[in-house]
Amino acid sequence: MADDRAEAIARFIAPLRVEPGSRVDLARDFDPRYRAHLKKRDGAELLRTGVELLAEYQDRLAAQDTYGVLLCLQALDAGGKDGTIRHVMSGVNPQGVKVSSFKVPSSEELDHDYLWRYNLRLPGRGEIGIFNRSHYEEVLVVRVHPENLERQRLPEAARGPDVWKRRYRDINRWERHLTDNGFKVVKVFLNLSREEQRIRFLKRIDLPEKNWKFSAADVRERRFWDDYQLAFSEMLSATSTEWAPWYVVPADRKWFARICAAAVLVHTLAGIDPQYPTVGAEARKQLRLVRRDLEDEAPPGAEADPYEAEHGKGKKRKKKGSR
Ligand code: ATP
Ligand code: MG
C-alpha cells in the first residue's frame, strides 16, 4: 500500500486510540456521535476502499504464514458487533478468517481458568481471528454482576477486592505474550449512547423482521448502564497498551463505526506489512527446469506456455509437428 494511504488511515483513527497509561472517562473523552466531518454518502466509498485493502493484506498475511491478527470486539447490546463483522469482513477470503462468539460460559469452561476458553479460539498464523465479545467480558459482565465470579469457583487467594487489577495485569501479560510470538492483538470498543440504544431496541419491537433480535433481558441490562460505563472506563484505562491498544469507535452511526473498524484492522495489518514469500536462486532454477518439462508436454499446435503467451514478455514457443 502506498505510504500516503497508510498515513491517512493512521491519522483517521488517531483520535479513537486510547493512549496507553491515560485515565479514560468514557462520557467525557469519547463522543458516540463523532463522525470526523464525514457524510454518510462518502461512507460507502470509504468502506469499499477499506474492505479492498483488507482483502489485499489478508492474502499477504496468509501467504507469509508468520503472523496472525486478533481483533477483539466489545460493545453493549445493540452496539452493532454483528453488522460490523459482516460488513468489514465482506471482501476477505473466508478461509483466512475465524470468528468466535463468547456467550455465558458452559460448565466445562467454568471448570478451567478464566482465559482458557479464549486460548482455544485464537487465530493461527496467517489468520485473522475476530472475538465477538472476548476475554474482556471477564472484567465487564463478571464485574457488573459478581454472581458470575461466584460461578467461577476461584480459590480464596484469587478473589478479593484487587481481583480486577490482577485480571488487567493477567490480560496485559497474555496479550504481550501473544504479540511477542507473532499474534498482533487489537481491540475495538463500539461506543453507543444510551439514547441510541433505546432507539435501536424500539426498532426491534416496531419492525416484525427485527422482532427475533429483541431480548427483554437486554433491556433489563440497561439498568446497569452506569456500572458498565465505569467498568468500560477502567478497562480502557488499564488495558490499552503499546502492544495491544484499544480504539473507542463511535457507534451511534453504524456506517461510521464500520469504516472505523475496517480502518483499525487495515492499520494493524499495515503495521505487520506481510510480504509474499520469494524463492531463492536455487529454487528458481528448479522451477525453470520443471517448466521446461511441462512445456515439452504441450500437445501439437498448443502454446508451450499459454499463460506466458498471453501475459509474458518472453519468447513464444509453439509446439511444432505432430506426435
Ligand atoms: P447477539 O445478541 O447479537 O446474538 P450477543 O453477543 O449479545 O449477540 P447473546 O447470546 O445475546 O449474544 O449474549 C451473550 C451473553 O453472554 C451476554 O449477556 C454476555 O454478557 C454474556 N457473557 C459473555 N461472556 C461471559 C462471561 N465470561 N461470564 C458471564 N457472562 C458472559
Ligand atoms: Mg445479545
Side-chain angles (χ1 to χ4, degrees):
M1 182 173 61
D3 278 352
D4 50 340
R5 277 209 284 184
E7 271 169 31
I9 288 173
R11 270 198 310 276
F12 178 71
I13 59 170
L16 316 179
R17 186 169 185 267
V18 176
E19 253 342 280
S22 64
R23 279 222 68 78
V24 176
D25 175 340
L26 206 45
R28 181 196 62 197
D29 302 336
F30 293 98
D31 175 9
R33 297 192 65 75
Y34 170 78
R35 60 181 163 90
H37 306 298
L38 282 180
K39 298 251 162 43
K40 188 172 180 179
R41 63 170 178 276
D42 311 319
E45 179 62 32
L46 269 173
L47 183 60
R48 216 173 4 259
T49 308
V51 167
E52 271 171 30
L53 285 170
L54 258 183
E56 189 186 312
Y57 272 123
Q58 185 210 23
D59 201 50
R60 280 158 53 181
L61 187 80
Q64 189 180 31
D65 210 13
T66 304
Y67 296 95
V69 171
L70 173 64
L71 170 68
C72 300
L73 259 187
Q74 286 293 152
L76 280 172
D77 293 302
K81 290 182 279 106
D82 290 348
T84 300
I85 295 171
R86 201 168 55 245
H87 282 83
V88 172
M89 305 316 282
S90 59
V92 303
N93 178 352
Q95 288 201 84
V97 187
K98 196 159 126 186
V99 182
S100 305
S101 301
F102 295 98
K103 314 276 181 185
V104 177
S106 68
S107 57
E108 189 191 15
E109 288 168 345
L110 287 170
D111 247 354
H112 294 80
D113 75 275
Y114 73 93
L115 288 178
W116 180 74
R117 66 172 181 162
Y118 308 99
N119 245 307
L120 294 180
R121 314 281 277 278
L122 288 170
R125 298 193 195 281
E127 283 181 338
I128 299 176
I130 300 185
F131 280 3
N132 179 355
R133 297 187 190 267
S134 68
H135 46 295
Y136 284 99
E137 290 293 330
E138 305 293 338
V139 293
L140 292 169
V141 68
V142 179
R143 181 172 188 175
V144 172
H145 298 288
E147 60 272 24
N148 288 310
L149 196 63
E150 284 304 308
R151 274 187 218 114
Q152 296 188 355
R153 308 199 311 280
L154 298 168
E156 201 54 47
R159 299 185 214 189
D162 62 345
V163 56
W164 312 118
K165 227 182 236 161
R166 271 188 285 119
R167 285 195 171 194
Y168 296 145
R169 187 199 59 196
D170 291 346
I171 288 172
N172 285 341
R173 286 181 180 169
W174 183 55
E175 291 176 352
R176 179 69 205 233
H177 162 77
L178 294 173
T179 310
D180 286 349
N181 285 278
F183 298 93
K184 183 81 194 142
V185 182
V186 67
K187 292 121 50 171
V188 164
F189 170 58
L190 297 174
N191 187 26
L192 188 70
S193 71
R194 189 168 157 81
E195 176 56 7
E196 180 63 22
Q197 191 194 47
R198 188 179 77 91
I199 294 169
R200 290 188 189 172
F201 283 157
L202 281 169
K203 199 168 164 190
R204 290 179 181 184
I205 296 171
D206 294 341
L207 298 177
E209 70 275 19
K210 294 220 180 238
N211 283 173
W212 65 273
K213 269 192 154 183
F214 180 77
S215 146
D218 289 356
V219 176
R220 280 198 298 278
E221 205 62 5
R222 266 168 78 76
R223 278 186 282 162
F224 299 93
W225 184 271
D226 292 341
D227 297 342
Y228 273 109
Q229 295 298 300
L230 187 69
F232 283 129
S233 295
E234 290 204 2
M235 169 198 83
L236 293 166
S237 309
T239 60
S240 193
T241 54
E242 292 295 348
W243 58 89
W246 270 107
Y247 290 87
V248 178
V249 164
D252 276 15
R253 295 178 170 91
K254 288 181 180 172
W255 61 269
F256 188 68
R258 288 164 189 169
I259 294 170
C260 295
V264 166
L265 251 186
V266 170
H267 179 67
T268 307
L269 283 154
I272 297 173
D273 195 22
Q275 302 294 327
Y276 290 111
T278 50
V279 298
E282 184 52 35
R284 264 206 312 280
K285 198 169 137 200
Q286 286 301 320
L287 288 178
R288 278 196 296 273
L289 288 176
V290 176
R291 178 181 169 187
R292 191 139 282 267
D293 289 345
L294 287 170
E295 286 179 344
D296 288 345
E297 285 181 31
E303 295 288 355
D305 182 343
Y307 181 84
E308 197 203 48
E310 197 177 337
H311 304 278
K313 293 183 221 99
K315 61 181 170 39
K316 291 183 183 181
R317 290 204 304 138
K318 219 171 200 165
K319 186 92 173 183
K320 289 195 196 86
S322 55
R323 273 165 197 264

